[in-house]
Amino acid sequence: MRGLVLALLTFCSTLPARAEEVVLGLSKDEVAITASFNGSDILIFGAVLREEPIPSGSQLGVVITVAGPSTPVTVRRKERRYGIWINTDAVDVDRAPSYYAVASSGPLREVLSNIEDLRYRITVPRAIRSVGAPMTILDSAAFTRALIRIRGNMGLYQVLEENVVVDQQTLFRTSIQLPSAVTEGGYITRIFLTRNGKVVSQYQTTIEVRKVGLERWLFALSRNQPLLYGLMSIAIAIAAGWGASAGFALLRR
């Protein structure tokens, strides 16, 4: 890993001079989803390129986010009425990432100010964009909290405070876990260097998560030729049913 970091430092030596600059590395920049896919760990590491000595009087903070594709989401509230649970109120969230992880070198309240969080949309609540709610709903924020709680329980939203290891205020590393329920698309990875809660440098790259092999072919077929996909599914179901019936008939003999 040391050799890769040195290579990255050499590559970035032509960048415009700044007090501190992020140099990033990834253990993988592409994740393949197969039939046996049960999640993946991604090692994110890097270094800080400096043209000046390490600033004194403040500790370097590192915050790393990984965000999956964002889509609109409708969050519904259920209430028990007449002995059954029914949907009552609903709030449309403009955009919410399908997956979001934020890792930091220390408690987020210490390494990142509220103003910088608002500016860069770093924490989970800030990453969710909710334009508004019907006038009849007075607690719209509760719907956003419910979305965060539900996806958090599924492992799709992660807050990993003090999970980024920083060595000598120069090298940093962390591991982010992608669960098996991730969706396809580009996962935007951002790295922020902070001092006194203020962002002093940032870097962004993308990790591609794609279906491969038979899964990819079936997915493309269902989108591009839905009629053929439906007929093939029916044929497979009939064949499977016939095979099971024939098998049980042999066992009875």
Side-chain angles (χ1 to χ4, degrees):
M1 185 173 73
R2 180 178 299 176
L4 179 56
V5 171
L6 291 175
L8 288 169
L9 286 169
T10 302
F11 173 77
C12 293
S13 61
T14 58
L15 292 173
R18 294 180 59 178
E20 294 177 298
E21 190 80 29
V22 179
V23 183
L24 173 70
L26 295 170
S27 62
K28 59 180 74 174
D29 57 8
E30 186 173 305
V31 176
I33 299 178
T34 63
S36 59
F37 179 77
N38 59 356
S40 179
D41 290 331
I42 298 177
L43 175 63
I44 301 173
F45 59 93
V48 181
L49 178 65
R50 296 186 178 91
E51 298 294 335
E52 302 173 358
I54 297 177
S56 59
S58 64
Q59 187 69 22
L60 177 71
V62 180
V63 182
I64 299 174
T65 68
V66 179
S70 292
T71 57
V73 179
T74 299
V75 184
R76 304 182 187 277
R77 174 158 52 198
K78 290 186 175 182
E79 293 184 2
R80 189 177 181 86
R81 295 183 180 178
Y82 309 108
I84 60 174
W85 289 95
I86 61 173
N87 293 325
T88 54
D89 299 324
V91 170
D92 293 326
V93 177
D94 185 43
R95 295 188 71 81
S98 57
Y99 170 86
Y100 197 83
V102 53
S104 60
S105 58
L108 280 170
R109 65 179 182 276
E110 296 180 8
V111 300
L112 183 69
S113 69
N114 289 331
I115 294 177
E116 296 294 82
D117 184 21
L118 180 62
R119 177 181 300 169
Y120 294 100
R121 296 183 176 273
I122 295 174
T123 59
V124 176
R126 296 296 187 190
I128 298 174
R129 182 176 300 175
S130 181
V131 176
M135 296 296 294
T136 56
I137 298 178
L138 302 178
D139 59 342
S140 59
F143 288 79
T144 301
R145 292 194 296 269
L147 176 63
I148 294 173
R149 183 181 68 255
I150 293 170
R151 291 191 171 179
N153 293 337
M154 297 172 62
L156 295 174
Y157 286 174
Q158 304 174 21
V159 179
L160 309 170
E161 294 182 293
E162 301 183 76
N163 195 61
V164 179
V165 178
V166 181
D167 296 328
Q168 304 297 321
Q169 298 196 61
T170 300
L171 302 177
F172 61 87
R173 66 185 184 276
T174 191
S175 180
I176 302 292
Q177 182 180 26
L178 296 179
S180 58
V182 294
T183 59
E184 274 194 298
Y187 283 60
I188 299 174
T189 302
R190 298 183 297 165
I191 294 86
F192 300 92
L193 301 183
T194 68
R195 286 194 181 275
N196 296 321
K198 183 179 180 181
V199 174
V200 296
S201 180
Q202 63 172 314
Y203 182 94
Q204 178 173 309
T205 188
T206 302
I207 300 171
E208 294 295 333
V209 178
R210 303 293 181 194
K211 292 183 176 71
V212 297
L214 179 61
E215 292 76 17
R216 181 65 181 175
W217 180 78
L218 290 173
F219 178 80
L221 183 66
S222 67
R223 295 296 186 272
N224 301 328
Q225 301 184 53
L227 178 60
L228 178 59
Y229 177 80
L231 293 175
M232 187 178 67
S233 299
I234 293 173
I236 292 174
I238 293 173
W242 179 85
S245 177
F248 281 116
L250 290 175
L251 290 176
R252 293 194 189 99
R253 296 179 180 176

